[in-house]
Amino acid sequence: MRFKLIIAFVDDQQTPGIIRAARDAGATGVTLINHARGEGITPKKTFFGLNLELQRDVLLFVVEQHLARTILQTLAEVGEFDHTPGTGIALQIDVEDAVGVAHQIQSLSEKVEDAL
């Protein structure tokens, strides 16, 4: 079985909805990293030297490759990444090898068979 890693950088207030949508689309789990910061094309404004940007979360999903594109598209739609600047981004990369997912392979096999 081959896997992809989907990495999403999202506003912390969107995190619960995006995780729920990813699970509905086939993700079996997520690793959440809190309090990330980033900057897009236009730097955020400051007020007396204090940064006014929102907190970001980094979401890491290890997903089966046949489900990856659907999950990625779901994240983009729910997070409105392509419609509203500054809402977040998501990307996927190939995973060469993974351990610790043996207990999920049976469930993933059934989902992939249904998706194909």
Side-chain angles (χ1 to χ4, degrees):
M1 188 167 283
R2 301 198 48 84
F3 295 95
K4 301 271 187 179
L5 173 63
I6 297 177
I7 305 168
F9 303 91
V10 302
D11 180 296
D12 67 341
Q13 294 176 354
Q14 286 187 311
T15 297
I18 288 180
I19 291 173
R20 192 170 31 259
R23 284 191 175 276
D24 291 346
T28 56
V30 62
T31 297
L32 168 64
I33 302 171
N34 290 319
H35 308 296
R37 292 187 295 161
E39 189 173 289
I41 292 174
T42 307
K44 297 289 183 184
K45 296 185 189 245
T46 61
F47 181 73
F48 293 116
L50 298 173
N51 199 341
L52 299 177
E53 69 186 20
L54 299 173
Q55 247 353 311
R56 298 280 180 195
D57 288 336
V58 179
L59 307 176
L60 306 171
F61 301 92
V62 176
V63 301
E64 204 285 327
Q65 71 176 352
H66 293 95
L67 303 173
R69 185 64 188 168
T70 301
I71 295 168
L72 186 67
Q73 283 299 121
T74 300
L75 298 180
E77 290 169 14
V78 171
E80 299 180 355
F81 298 161
D82 290 331
H83 303 292
T84 309
T87 55
I89 63 170
L91 56 103
Q92 72 178 4
I93 57 176
D94 291 327
V95 173
E96 185 173 329
D97 203 0
V99 296
V101 293
H103 59 284
Q104 297 181 18
I105 288 181
Q106 181 64 34
S107 172
L108 287 170
S109 295
E110 293 169 7
K111 285 181 182 182
V112 170
E113 287 174 11
D114 291 342
L116 296 177

